């Protein structure tokens, strides 16, 4: 009997999260994708193999993850990497010296560091713009621009870029729209459906969701672009090990389930904080007071668990960070456990102070990654920490 597995985009997202890219293993029928711990594959005869030659090029555990995330993002091809930054570095190898890239000014600190400290010295040039304003983005595009890179919502200022407008601008200038979808996850936002050419993730965050691996993944629709990325993935070799792929694949099975709870907790905590601190001190796209709430509601189907609050001073920040007991003081986000951090000195520590001030990132800001614990415990923790 042949079982049909719902890889196709007609199945619902939760069904795809559990089944897409996966088949019972042929020998025993193991329902879970095996961990293929191998560097090479025995060939049937001279010049005859099963499509697998060497594991930098292909690994069945990795392929299952790649197909799974490709399906979640409504794409056709997925490419997994050893980290989010390794993924972005490989994407950037699509370009060559002399090419110009337009980038959101409030992208992840590590993205800025990769561009400013490494790729700039290899002949790529970058312009940083406020991607909230499509006109500014359009004005930054030149004849040499080959890509527009955006993150939405951004970290930690929760600023949005209008993905449909970004896709229109990029396409008109024959540039690729590359979207970091780590914050929203494909459960709440699918950039390829809005015209993006490449969507990528740090799988370290929501996709894995259990804070036990580091990884990245890129998804595209077009075959030609996919062939280039596959070539880079194999040639440059920033590939993940199979065990990390296996962990991420276990994580994506519960992604829709987890995101629902992150979102419910996020909304409730943001509303509570807005009452407690004043709505002007809480940044969350799901709050009606967020200046881009309407855009958020039009391109996202949920707002997730990331909240930024302004506490006014470093002293107050220190007090809260030292008092929390359920929220853990740590970098990273998107795991089942709630985390709290100080973006100015932590995730954005490598960004020059004048750049941070220029974009509105203050020393008094604290970022919450609301996990999936009981919301009463999270609220109680914040209450006692803020008291
Ligand atoms: C963490 C993160 C990255 C980098 O990913 P790593 O897996 O840590 O290399 C990129 N973008 C965003 C939005 C992130 O949160």
């Amino acid at each position: 009997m042949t079982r049909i597995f719902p890889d196709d985009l007609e199945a619902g997202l939760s069904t795809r999260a559990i089944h897409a890219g996966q088949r019972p293993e042929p020998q025993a029928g193991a329902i879970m994708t095996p961990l293929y711990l191998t560097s090479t594959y025995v060939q049937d005869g001279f010049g005859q193999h099963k499509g697998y030659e060497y594991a930098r090029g292909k690994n069945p555990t990795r392929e299952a993850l790649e197909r799974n995330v490709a399906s979640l993002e409504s794409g056709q091809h997925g490419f997994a990497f050893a980290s989010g930054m390794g993924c972005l570095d490989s994407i950037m190898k699509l370009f060559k010296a002399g090419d110009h890239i337009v980038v959101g000014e409030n992208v992840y600190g590590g993205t800025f560091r990769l561009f400013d400290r490494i790729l700039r010295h290899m002949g790529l040039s970058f312009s940083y713009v406020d991607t909230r304003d499509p006109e500014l983005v359009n004005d930054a595009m030149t004849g040499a621009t080959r890509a527009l890179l955006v993150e939405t919502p951004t970290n930690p200022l929760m600023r949005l870029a209008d993905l449909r407008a970004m896709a229109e601008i990029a396409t008109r200038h024959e540039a690729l729209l590359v979207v970091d979808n780590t914050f929203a996850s494909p459960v709440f936002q699918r950039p390829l459906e809005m015209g993006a050419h490449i969507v990528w993730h740090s799988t370290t965050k929501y996709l894995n969701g259990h804070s036990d691996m580091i990884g990245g993944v890129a998804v595209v629709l077009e075959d030609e672009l996919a062939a280039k990325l596959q070539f880079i993935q194999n040639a440059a070799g920033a590939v993940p090990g199979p065990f990390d792929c296996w962990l991420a694949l276990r994580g994506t099975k519960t992604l829709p389930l987890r995101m629902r709870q992150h979102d419910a907790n996020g909304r409730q905590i943001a509303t509570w904080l807005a009452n407690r601190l004043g709505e002007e001190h809480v940044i969350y796209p799901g709050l009606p007071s967020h200046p881009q709430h309407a855009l958020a509601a039009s391109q996202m189907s949920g707002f997730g668990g990331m909240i930024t609050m302004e506490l006014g001073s470093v002293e107050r920040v220190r007090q809260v960070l030292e008092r929390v007991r359920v929220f853990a003081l740590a970098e990273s986000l998107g795991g089942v456990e709630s985390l709290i951090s100080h973006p100015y000195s932590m995730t954005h520590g490598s960004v020059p102070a004048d750049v941070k001030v220029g974009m509105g990132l203050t020393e008094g800001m604290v970022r919450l990654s609301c996990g999936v614990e009981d919301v009463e415990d999270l609220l109680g923790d914040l209450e006692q920490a803020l008291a």
Side-chain angles (χ1 to χ4, degrees):
M1 189 182 75
T2 311
R3 292 191 60 195
I4 306 294
F5 279 82
D7 284 22
D8 58 67
L9 299 179
E10 278 155 41
L13 199 77
S14 297
T15 308
R16 269 145 60 200
I18 292 164
H19 295 290
Q22 293 157 82
R23 294 284 182 281
E25 161 277 324
Q27 191 181 342
I31 192 153
M32 293 305 299
T33 303
L35 187 47
Y36 285 88
L37 292 169
T38 191
S39 59
T40 192
Y41 308 92
V42 179
Q43 308 205 351
D44 293 336
F46 181 56
Q48 293 175 306
H49 56 76
K50 297 179 167 71
Y52 299 90
E53 293 167 87
Y54 183 63
R56 178 166 13 83
K58 272 189 190 180
N59 175 289
T61 314
R62 191 173 96 206
E63 283 180 306
L65 172 67
E66 292 171 335
R67 289 178 182 151
N68 182 263
V69 180
S71 170
L72 293 180
E73 282 288 1
S74 302
Q76 286 294 335
H77 310 272
F79 302 95
F81 295 91
S83 67
M85 295 326 298
C87 175
L88 180 61
D89 186 54
S90 291
I91 291 170
M92 297 310 290
K93 289 187 167 78
L94 290 166
F95 309 112
K96 58 181 192 311
D99 287 352
H100 173 247
I101 317 287
V102 175
V103 190
E105 64 174 4
N106 179 215
V107 288
Y108 177 72
T111 296
F112 176 79
R113 180 174 57 193
L114 173 67
F115 294 170
D116 194 59
R117 303 281 299 277
I118 299 178
L119 298 182
R120 191 161 62 88
H121 304 305
M122 301 177 78
L124 292 179
S125 65
F126 299 89
S127 297
Y128 298 91
V129 297
D130 183 345
T131 49
R132 283 177 297 184
D133 185 349
E135 230 166 275
L136 290 178
V137 174
N138 192 55
D139 291 348
M141 307 290 286
T142 72
T145 307
R146 295 289 168 266
L148 166 59
L149 267 75
V150 306
E151 209 174 298
T152 178
T154 63
N155 168 30
L157 297 171
M158 309 288 165
R159 290 176 179 164
L160 274 74
D162 181 333
L163 287 172
R164 293 179 183 88
M166 295 299 118
E168 199 269 317
I169 293 167
T171 305
R172 184 150 36 84
H173 289 87
E174 292 176 35
L176 297 176
L177 174 60
V178 181
V179 179
D180 180 344
N181 203 29
T182 302
F183 256 46
S185 93
V187 175
F188 293 142
Q189 178 170 275
R190 286 183 294 282
L192 294 178
E193 293 178 3
M194 292 179 262
H197 303 92
I198 302 178
V199 55
W200 68 280
H201 286 269
S202 165
T203 50
T204 315
K205 315 294 169 53
Y206 285 112
L207 293 190
N208 169 268
H210 295 75
S211 310
D212 52 14
M213 50 75 71
I214 295 276
V217 67
V219 177
V220 303
L221 269 169
E222 293 162 25
D223 296 344
E224 205 179 313
L225 191 51
K228 288 181 189 166
L229 279 173
Q230 182 164 28
F231 178 83
I232 294 168
Q233 185 192 36
N234 180 51
V239 294
F243 187 48
D244 284 343
C245 294
W246 190 91
L247 286 169
L249 187 59
R250 157 183 277 208
T252 57
K253 285 179 190 291
T254 55
L255 181 68
L257 203 57
R258 285 185 283 111
M259 291 313 293
R260 231 175 282 157
Q261 196 60 38
H262 284 296
D263 184 58
N265 286 357
R267 288 178 200 229
Q268 206 171 326
I269 291 168
T271 305
W272 183 88
L273 285 171
N275 285 328
R276 180 74 174 68
L277 303 172
E279 62 182 22
E280 68 279 17
H281 298 308
V282 182
I283 319 177
Y284 181 70
L287 287 177
S289 57
H290 188 285
Q292 293 174 293
H293 177 64
L295 175 62
S298 79
Q299 66 183 18
M300 302 173 75
S301 58
F303 308 110
M306 301 304 301
I307 302 171
T308 295
M309 53 185 176
E310 173 59 68
L311 296 180
S313 68
V314 191
E315 293 68 44
R316 185 95 171 104
V317 168
R318 186 185 310 279
Q319 189 182 44
V320 170
L321 296 187
E322 286 175 356
R323 276 196 195 162
V324 284
R325 289 191 291 239
V326 182
F327 280 88
L329 173 57
E331 299 219 5
S332 200
L333 62 107
V336 289
E337 62 289 311
S338 293
L339 301 180
I340 190 165
S341 72
H342 183 232
Y344 193 92
S345 65
M346 295 168 72
T347 50
H348 287 65
S350 61
V351 178
D354 57 316
V355 176
K356 285 188 277 210
V357 171
M359 69 171 112
L361 175 51
T362 73
E363 282 191 280
M365 279 178 180
V366 163
R367 191 191 73 183
L368 303 177
S369 171
C370 300
V372 300
E373 299 96 336
D374 291 302
V375 74
E376 295 76 17
D377 293 327
L378 299 178
L379 290 172
D381 194 33
L382 292 172
E383 173 83 81
Q384 63 83 23
L386 288 166

